[in-house]
Amino acid sequence: MSVHYTHQQSYVPPINRPHAPQQWRKRTPAEIDIEAAWKVAIPVRAPECNAQDVRLYAPYDALLLVRGGLLRTALLSDHRTDLAGLFPCPSCDDLVDPIRSDCCPWCDAVLEDVERSSIRVTKGGGQR
């Protein structure tokens, strides 16, 4: 399963109502709805979830699962999720994908040069 986006970020799969929104509200503080959470959540691998697509909403440590083409439910992550390539934002400490954006999706902090292990991601395309 690829962890890269296969749809535009604005795409939200059809939602299994009422289960998915209920579980989202039940398992998170839910100051945003499940559709908005899906749009900013980070694609991750979670083989044990048996899902076609899994996204992590890092501020709540919540996983949003797509099965059978439907956004079925929200689960709290039990940390069996493959988070390779993600790192904590220097400002808010929530996980971010350094390739995906120039700013943190959770706190809007600018992500300039980010160093993770022996890999350095430099935004802007200029030579350094």
Side-chain angles (χ1 to χ4, degrees), residues 103-121:
C103 66
C104 175
W106 321 119
C107 72
D108 293 326
V110 175
L111 303 174
E112 303 230 351
D113 290 349
V114 176
E115 195 163 332
R116 171 105 164 105
S117 291
S118 61
I119 298 172
R120 176 181 278 285
V121 176

Side-chain angles (χ1 to χ4, degrees), residues 12 14 17 48 64 66 70 98 108:
V12 178
R17 297 193 187 271
E48 293 182 35
L64 302 168
V66 172
L70 294 174
D108 293 326

Side-chain angles (χ1 to χ4, degrees), residues 24-106:
W24 173 252
R25 288 189 302 273
K26 177 181 172 185
R27 295 177 173 155
T28 70
E31 63 261 354
I32 66 172
D33 63 24
I34 194 169
E35 293 93 344
W38 176 265
K39 289 178 184 179
V40 296
I42 303 167
V44 295
R45 286 184 34 90
E48 293 182 35
C49 288
N50 191 27
Q52 296 166 319
D53 200 0
V54 180
R55 291 193 183 185
L56 171 69
Y57 190 85
Y60 303 153
D61 208 18
L63 298 176
L64 302 168
L65 277 62
V66 172
R67 292 183 184 133
L70 294 174
L71 178 51
R72 298 261 178 197
T73 195
L75 303 174
L76 294 180
S77 176
D78 63 2
H79 301 289
R80 289 181 285 177
T81 307
D82 180 359
L83 303 176
L86 304 181
F87 74 96
C89 169
S91 294
C92 70
D93 212 32
D94 285 325
L95 292 175
V96 297
D97 180 346
I99 307 267
R100 179 177 165 207
S101 177
D102 291 334
C103 66
C104 175
W106 321 119

